[in-house]
Amino acid sequence: MNRLPVETRVQILLMLCEGSSMRSISRITGASINTVTKLLVDAGEACAAFHDATVRNVPSKAVQCDEIWSFSYAKNKNVKFAKADAGDVWTWTAIDADSKLIVSWHVGDRGAHTGTAFLHDLKARLANRVQLTTDGHKAYLKAVLDAGFDADYAMLNKIFATDYAGLGRYSPPKCIGAIKNPIMGNPDPNLVNTSFAERQNLTMRMSMRRFTRLTNAFSKKFENHCHALALYFFFYDFCRVHKTLGATPAMASGLVDHVMKMEDAVTLIDKRSAPALRGPYKKREPRKFQTETRPNLL
């Protein structure tokens, strides 16, 4: 089986996590775009499986949840001219306020059904009762109840100015205040905020080219969008040293005891793609040919 050298695969994966587009990676490394895409798919599957198995029993005190918008193939307004799996895509994330660990993430729409699946997964990964903070998105209210999420839960409802900048405005309106609304349990008002989750959204937009706004660097396939997220969260949780922590988020949470490298992701890929062992071949008996005798007509 022909494979790129480990150094080249590591370079490609690191560039995918540092904001480079797939076409630019193909030009710089000399690998074909199909090779880069195949490596992204393999890395996404391996990293998603590793995150699912490793990020368990997380000791957390406060968790912040938020969702970030992107789209696959086409925006909602152009879906009628596109294929079936096109449209807006929302990535739901849950970050531990102390270790900055991405405890859980989920990709789908912005409805309560997706939020319920997201909170079910988050609940299964926590080791203890936590304080949960979300923004004022109404889907969280139903999702928390449907998931049976036992937490000290509060919503942070932000108040935005009503100034209208006209058509073509791309910056959000100015935030002029916030209201802390306790929903469930006894949440600590000092821990009710979503600053870390929102800063994480900015990191995602800067680290993945497909999240950049107002460009043609969007996801062309929903599956590849999910693979890119799985690779990024592996890099963010296990490989990237957080400046204020002096360690990776996974180390700060006690999930691992060392800084992982992108070579570890390549190792995970190779383990998943190991060729299956084949049984012994049956010895083939030599074929016997019979000589056909034809009458001599001369």
Side-chain angles (χ1 to χ4, degrees):
M1 179 178 181
N2 295 327
R3 286 182 177 176
L4 292 175
V6 174
E7 295 78 10
T8 305
R9 287 191 282 171
V10 169
Q11 181 185 12
I12 292 173
L13 295 178
L14 286 174
M15 293 179 70
L16 286 171
C17 297
E18 292 291 352
S20 299
S21 67
M22 297 179 68
R23 292 287 180 182
S24 66
I25 294 173
S26 175
R27 291 190 294 268
I28 292 172
T29 62
S32 71
I33 186 63
N34 293 334
T35 301
V36 176
T37 303
K38 178 65 166 58
L39 183 58
L40 172 64
V41 173
D42 293 342
E45 293 176 349
C47 292
F50 180 80
H51 181 278
D52 183 62
T54 307
V55 183
R56 297 284 178 180
N57 296 321
V58 178
S60 179
K61 181 180 178 181
V63 174
Q64 301 176 12
C65 296
D66 200 9
E67 63 283 344
I68 180 173
W69 172 85
S70 55
F71 68 95
S72 172
Y73 194 82
K75 297 179 182 178
N76 273 358
K77 64 180 181 180
N78 299 321
V79 165
K80 60 182 179 180
F81 304 109
K83 54 185 181 180
D85 59 348
D88 292 350
V89 177
W90 290 86
T91 304
W92 301 60
T93 58
I95 186 171
D96 177 34
D98 295 322
S99 66
K100 311 302 183 293
L101 177 79
I102 298 296
V103 183
S104 176
W105 58 278
H106 193 80
V107 184
D109 57 19
R110 209 180 179 213
H113 179 73
T114 303
T116 301
F118 165 65
L119 288 176
H120 266 296
D121 183 73
L122 173 61
K123 176 185 175 182
R125 299 183 186 279
L126 296 173
N128 52 272
R129 182 185 175 95
V130 299
Q131 174 160 330
L132 180 68
T133 305
T134 69
D135 57 15
H137 185 37
K138 293 182 179 180
Y140 282 112
L141 294 172
K142 186 176 186 301
V144 169
L145 294 176
D146 291 346
F149 203 98
D150 184 21
D152 298 315
Y153 174 42
M155 267 188 170
L156 186 67
N157 294 306
K158 295 185 177 180
I159 304 172
F160 295 96
T162 57
D163 57 325
Y164 179 67
L167 296 175
R169 184 192 69 182
Y170 299 114
S171 58
K174 184 178 180 181
C175 180
I176 59 176
I179 301 175
K180 300 178 180 180
N181 293 324
I183 305 297
M184 181 189 303
N186 186 27
D188 183 358
N190 295 326
L191 298 179
V192 179
N193 90 66
T194 57
S195 298
F196 296 124
E198 291 169 356
R199 181 59 181 84
Q200 164 61 26
N201 288 346
L202 175 61
T203 305
M204 291 174 62
R205 292 211 179 274
M206 297 176 65
S207 300
M208 286 178 283
R209 183 63 174 159
R210 63 189 66 235
F211 274 82
T212 307
R213 292 181 181 272
L214 304 177
T215 70
N216 62 351
F218 53 87
S219 294
K220 310 307 186 292
K221 292 179 63 177
F222 176 79
E223 293 81 4
N224 290 347
H225 189 84
C226 297
H227 293 319
L229 285 166
L231 174 63
Y232 164 76
F233 287 127
F234 171 83
F235 176 72
Y236 179 85
D237 280 345
F238 296 95
C239 302
R240 181 174 176 175
V241 176
H242 201 282
K243 189 173 182 179
T244 59
L245 298 174
T248 63
M251 292 176 63
S253 296
L255 301 179
V256 296
D257 57 1
H258 64 284
V259 178
M260 299 184 68
K261 302 296 183 181
M262 197 56 77
E263 287 84 352
D264 297 316
V266 175
T267 302
L268 294 174
I269 296 172
D270 291 341
K271 287 182 178 179
R272 288 178 60 87
S273 60
L277 297 178
R278 296 183 179 181
Y281 289 98
K282 293 182 179 180
K283 187 177 180 180
R284 178 178 296 180
E285 297 293 334
R287 297 180 61 182
K288 297 180 180 180
F289 295 93
Q290 295 181 354
T291 304
E292 182 180 358
T293 60
R294 297 183 179 181
N296 189 358
L297 300 179
L298 296 179

